């Protein structure tokens, strides 16, 4: 399903960032220094967090409040491309215990974590992804990436058995976050006034990947990025911050702003599929992760995609009355083939999908 079904050579060995941080270095290795962020202060500010829209999913499901909340959702998708979900249906226990198990995994000795490290030509496991060459700039993070759905696509050799309950809680977490995605897809379609049944059904057997990110302190946070700026190749990415340390930044009106963590909330970020289905009404925003010199940040990010044969492109309801489609229609598998090709060419995949007027 998508990238995880592709075999490629880009998982080159890279330095372990957590171990570098533990060495108390005064300067970061050259491969992490990014000229485009030098001079930018990335330390956590006290009052520079962006109050992104807050969407209450319980109101979306309640006929009494639904119309107003749908208007808020539509505005959030149109004007921001990112919002925070509350009352999403996931229990505090699942969120808390999953966060705890993920933290315990990253606290294991490196030799133990490496039992589940990535292998050449494989997408999943512990390490970093899509490192194409020895000269490629690296992000200041370590991560564990796993496919959770479809269940038959799980590569359990990369699912840690230590801590002992990590698999159990990841399984529960992934089932619950999948339901959040399906519900959100239904409301997404309602906000656009398009038929949503086929889209929701495509997520029942859709592809879901969970990426657990570990951002340790950095001696020169103004020279690195925890995760370089990008748009997501998904319908939504759903993020759980496992601490109160801000690190996610979104680009809005030419400025980078922090997204302040809210206890128990899920950050929903629109991906390129949402931009394509909405025929450009909604935008997949540029976002990145930054680090600081004193605090560790951990996040759990779920990429949510429809099934591999689903046709991704402008909804037919949005291309009537003389409004032309702005994007090609492709299957999910075709999209990711184009994504890998565009990655090698250094061209944004969305540019290859735009239809010239």
């Amino acid at each position: 399903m998508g990238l995880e079904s592709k075999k490629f050579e880009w998982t080159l060995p890279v330095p372990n960032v957590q171990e570098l941080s533990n060495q108390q270095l005064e300067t970061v290795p050259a491969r992490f220094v990014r000229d485009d962020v030098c001079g930018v202060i990335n330390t956590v500010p006290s009052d520079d967090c962006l109050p992104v829209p807050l969407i209450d999913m319980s109101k979306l499901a309640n006929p009494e409040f639904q119309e107003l909340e749908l208007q808020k959702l539509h505005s959030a998708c149109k004007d921001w491309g990112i919002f925070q979900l509350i009352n999403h249906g996931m229990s505090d226990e699942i969120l808390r215990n999953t966060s705890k198990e993920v933290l315990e995994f990253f606290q294991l000795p490196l030799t133990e974590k490496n039992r589940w490290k990535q292998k050449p030509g494989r997408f999943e496991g512990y390490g970093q992804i899509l490192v194409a060459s020895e000269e490629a700039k690296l992000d200041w993070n370590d991560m564990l990436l796993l496919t959770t759905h479809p269940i038959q696509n799980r590569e359990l050799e990369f699912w840690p058995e230590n801590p002992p309950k990590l698999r159990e809680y990841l399984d529960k977490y992934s089932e619950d976050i999948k339901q959040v995605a399906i519900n959100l897809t239904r409301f997404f379609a309602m906000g656009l006034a398009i038929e949503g049944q086929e889209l929701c059904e495509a997520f029942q057997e859709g592809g879901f990947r969970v990426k657990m990110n570990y951002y340790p302190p950095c001696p020169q946070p103004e020279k690195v990025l925890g995760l370089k700026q990008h748009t997501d190749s998904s319908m939504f990415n759903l993020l759980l911050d496992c601490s109160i340390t801000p690190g996610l930044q979104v680009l809005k009106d030419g400025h980078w702003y922090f997204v302040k963590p809210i206890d128990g909330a899920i950050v929903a970020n629109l991906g390129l599929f949402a931009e394509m289905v909405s025929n450009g009404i909604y935008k997949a925003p540029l976002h990145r992760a930054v680090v600081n010199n004193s605090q560790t940040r951990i996040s759990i990010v779920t990429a949510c995609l429809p099934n591999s044969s689903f046709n991704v492109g402008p909804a037919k309801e949005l291309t009537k009355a003389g409004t032309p489609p702005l994007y090609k229609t492709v299957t999910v598998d075709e999209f990711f083939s184009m994504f890998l090709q565009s990655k090698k060419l250094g061209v944004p995949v969305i540019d290859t999908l735009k239809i010239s007027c």
Side-chain angles (χ1 to χ4, degrees):
M1 172 67 206
L3 279 180
E4 65 269 25
S5 67
K6 310 293 181 184
K7 302 301 181 184
F8 53 94
E9 70 279 8
W10 291 356
T11 48
L12 298 181
V14 297
N16 183 271
V17 177
Q18 189 174 358
E19 292 299 302
L20 289 175
S21 180
N22 290 340
Q23 293 174 20
Q24 302 292 310
L25 303 173
E26 293 186 3
T27 58
V28 298
R31 287 190 69 185
F32 293 92
V33 176
R34 295 182 179 271
D35 296 336
D36 56 340
V37 297
C38 285
V40 177
I41 303 301
N42 289 332
T43 50
V44 176
S46 59
D47 57 0
D48 193 25
C49 290
L50 184 66
V52 303
L54 195 64
I55 303 298
D56 188 331
M57 287 197 76
S58 67
K59 290 184 178 179
L60 287 172
N62 187 327
E64 182 179 355
F65 304 106
Q66 186 178 77
E67 183 176 357
L68 180 58
E69 205 66 16
L70 278 174
Q71 291 175 5
K72 289 175 60 179
L73 176 63
H74 179 71
S75 294
C77 293
K78 184 173 179 287
D79 300 333
W80 297 73
I82 190 170
F83 49 92
Q84 300 215 48
L85 286 170
I86 58 173
N87 296 323
H88 40 66
M90 296 186 70
S91 72
D92 290 340
E93 179 186 7
I94 290 295
L95 299 181
R96 183 175 59 252
N97 286 330
T98 306
S99 297
K100 175 178 174 291
E101 294 297 312
V102 171
L103 172 60
E104 288 185 8
F105 170 77
F106 284 114
Q107 289 177 332
L108 293 172
L110 179 59
T111 53
E112 180 69 3
K113 294 194 290 279
N114 277 341
R115 290 174 58 193
W116 299 281
K117 70 179 179 180
Q118 292 171 326
K119 297 179 180 179
R122 304 289 288 277
F123 189 69
E124 301 191 29
Y126 175 64
Q128 286 197 22
I129 60 171
L130 300 182
V131 179
S133 72
E134 297 293 343
E135 293 74 37
K137 289 295 183 181
L138 300 178
D139 296 325
W140 192 262
N141 82 78
D142 299 319
M143 65 90 196
L144 173 65
L145 177 68
L146 303 171
T147 294
T148 61
H149 291 89
I151 291 178
Q152 63 267 23
N153 288 358
R154 292 181 179 181
E155 298 191 57
L156 293 179
E157 65 181 292
F158 296 111
W159 284 59
E161 297 172 298
N162 190 13
K165 288 188 174 293
L166 178 58
R167 284 189 175 191
E168 174 187 343
Y169 279 111
L170 278 179
D171 180 63
K172 293 177 180 178
Y173 180 90
S174 64
E175 288 294 334
D176 288 354
I177 204 78
K178 176 183 176 181
Q179 191 57 53
V180 172
I182 293 170
N183 293 338
L184 184 57
T185 299
R186 178 163 60 91
F187 298 126
F188 168 89
M190 292 172 68
L192 285 170
I194 64 175
E195 171 57 48
Q197 182 175 351
E198 183 181 359
L199 190 58
C200 289
E201 289 175 352
F203 275 90
Q204 293 287 352
E205 295 299 324
F208 292 79
R209 298 192 301 269
V210 174
K211 185 156 76 78
M212 292 145 275
N213 300 298
Y214 185 92
Y215 302 99
C218 177
Q220 295 178 298
E222 73 281 1
K223 292 188 176 183
V224 308
L225 285 175
L227 189 64
K228 63 181 176 292
Q229 69 179 50
H230 65 286
T231 52
D232 292 325
S233 297
S234 62
M235 181 66 77
F236 316 106
N237 271 25
L238 301 178
L239 178 147
L240 174 67
D241 260 310
C242 300
S243 65
I244 61 172
T245 304
L248 174 62
Q249 289 186 331
V250 61
L251 186 66
K252 180 172 173 58
D253 301 327
H255 299 282
W256 289 102
Y257 293 92
F258 281 89
V259 179
K260 184 178 181 179
I262 297 175
D263 187 34
I266 299 290
V267 179
N269 186 84
L270 299 189
L272 294 175
F273 288 16
E275 182 171 329
M276 293 168 65
V277 170
S278 72
N279 202 32
I281 295 173
Y282 299 161
K283 297 295 184 183
L286 277 171
H287 56 287
R288 66 185 187 181
V290 299
V291 298
N292 64 86
N293 59 10
S294 61
Q295 297 171 304
T296 293
R297 174 174 173 257
I298 296 175
S299 66
I300 304 173
V301 182
T302 304
C304 311
L305 301 110
N307 66 57
S308 59
S309 61
F310 182 78
N311 290 319
V312 182
K316 60 182 184 298
E317 296 91 340
L318 303 178
T319 56
K320 295 179 179 179
T323 302
L326 301 181
Y327 306 94
K328 302 172 186 176
T329 295
V330 297
T331 67
V332 173
D333 274 354
E334 289 170 340
F335 175 94
F336 280 106
S337 292
M338 297 171 72
F339 172 85
L340 290 175
Q341 184 63 28
S342 65
K343 191 84 174 177
K344 293 178 180 179
L345 297 175
V347 178
V349 66
I350 196 66
D351 290 349
T352 68
L353 290 160
K354 290 178 179 177
I355 298 175
S356 299
C357 296

